[in-house]
Amino acid sequence: RSVAYGSTKDHVRALQLVFADASQSRVETIAPHSRAFSDLMARPGLVGQAFSQLLPQLESRRQLIQARMPHVVKNCSGYRVESIIDSVSGSDVFHVQRLFVGAEGTLGIVTEATLGLVPLPAQRGIAMAYFPSVFAAGEAVPGILALGPSAVEIMDSRFLAVVRKHDSRTDAMLPPHTDTALL
């Protein structure tokens, strides 16, 4: 549902983590000149060492990082360093927890997460559109996004081949020459 609500990183408020040296830490959004920031940088072990090196580098390279990030609706690639520093009400903040969202345990093991929740919509529906090629499906995406969906998922020819292989009824349910579908 990232098309409508943003990605997971946008809803994680804080994380409790265990690091490779067995140290533990809670990470959350902090102001760069706050007591919490100073405490994070001064922590012993991996946590303090990593953040005292990483956060100043991210801050000094912020414009370069932002300029090089692809401008896409959905980006679910691993380390989302471009989203760590943000300006809120004219002041910068570090969303430290965002570094760990999508890292799949490579930076630390999450033992607890505090999340911001989004209410369920009052009404829901689903539509599926069929296309002769993945390129035709791609060309349709801007028009579909203009309708305000909460999600757009693709089922390409490889996915449909697996479904066809395991359920012989699939071809009877799909229009002829369907190579790709958007859900």
Side-chain angles (χ1 to χ4, degrees):
R1 305 284 173 224
S2 64
V3 171
Y5 304 111
S7 65
T8 301
K9 71 171 176 50
D10 300 319
H11 300 281
V12 174
R13 303 293 179 246
L15 295 172
Q16 184 68 32
L17 299 152
V18 176
F19 296 93
D21 65 354
S23 63
Q24 297 183 31
S25 183
R26 179 178 170 86
V27 293
E28 57 194 333
T29 301
I30 55 175
H33 302 292
S34 66
R35 173 84 176 163
F37 181 81
S38 300
D39 289 348
L40 179 64
M41 303 293 254
R43 286 193 187 141
L46 269 177
V47 176
Q49 181 182 1
F51 287 115
S52 65
Q53 292 175 15
L54 176 67
L55 295 180
Q57 287 185 34
L58 289 177
E59 192 168 32
S60 69
R61 292 177 173 87
R62 180 180 183 180
Q63 290 180 344
L64 177 64
I65 293 168
Q66 292 293 335
R68 300 266 170 99
M69 288 304 298
H71 298 284
V72 294
V73 173
K74 182 177 180 179
N75 182 350
C76 54
S77 60
Y79 308 111
R80 298 294 306 276
V81 295
E82 87 288 355
S83 69
I84 294 171
I85 303 174
D86 195 11
S87 291
V88 177
S89 303
S91 299
D92 286 344
V93 295
F94 288 107
H95 299 287
V96 181
Q97 71 279 11
R98 289 183 179 176
L99 181 61
F100 300 91
V101 177
E104 298 181 359
T106 60
L107 301 176
I109 304 298
V110 176
T111 60
E112 183 179 314
T114 303
L115 306 173
L117 301 178
V118 176
L120 290 173
Q123 299 176 341
R124 292 185 274 180
I126 191 168
M128 187 176 292
Y130 305 98
F131 300 91
S133 72
V134 70
F135 301 106
E139 290 172 356
V141 169
I144 292 169
L145 290 176
L147 299 172
S150 64
V152 178
E153 297 295 335
I154 189 167
M155 292 183 282
D156 66 5
S157 60
R158 291 178 294 175
F159 177 86
L160 291 175
V162 170
V163 173
R164 284 178 171 116
K165 180 180 176 181
H166 294 287
D167 190 341
S168 60
R169 300 171 298 165
T170 302
D171 281 323
M173 294 184 278
L174 296 175
H177 312 294
T178 296
D179 175 76
T180 304
L182 292 176
L183 180 65

